[in-house]
Amino acid sequence: PSGLERDALRALLHVPGAAGGWLGSLEASAFDVPAYRSAYEVLLLAGAPDADEPDARWIERVLAEAPEDLRVLLRALAVEPLP
């Protein structure tokens, strides 16, 4: 499950436009790994990207919502290749 959780977060960060459709439809409690749950909660706080918002700008908003310890994880997920 943790691999699937990581893949879901990577997909959200790599293709934020797709996030608008299902971001928030998944409960944070669905994430078993505490760090991934916290990362998803940060995405929820940042909210879905605006339709005309550049991907990099949305990731900046996500990082601005994240506590320092999660920024490292979120940055890594944002640059790791998708499966």
Side-chain angles (χ1 to χ4, degrees):
S2 64
L4 181 59
E5 293 174 7
R6 189 174 188 92
D7 290 347
L9 291 169
R10 279 192 296 195
L12 284 168
L13 290 164
H14 278 262
V15 191
W22 65 275
L23 184 64
S25 66
L26 184 65
E27 296 290 326
S29 61
F31 288 85
D32 292 328
V33 177
Y36 297 160
R37 183 180 313 117
S38 295
Y40 184 70
E41 289 170 342
V42 167
L43 296 180
L44 292 175
L45 283 173
D50 298 327
D52 61 346
E53 185 174 25
D55 294 351
R57 180 74 175 135
W58 182 71
I59 291 174
E60 287 175 15
R61 281 200 298 131
V62 168
L63 293 173
E65 292 289 345
E68 186 62 37
D69 61 329
L70 277 181
R71 288 182 193 151
V72 172
L73 173 62
L74 289 163
R75 284 186 183 109
L77 293 169
V79 298
E80 285 179 7
L82 290 171

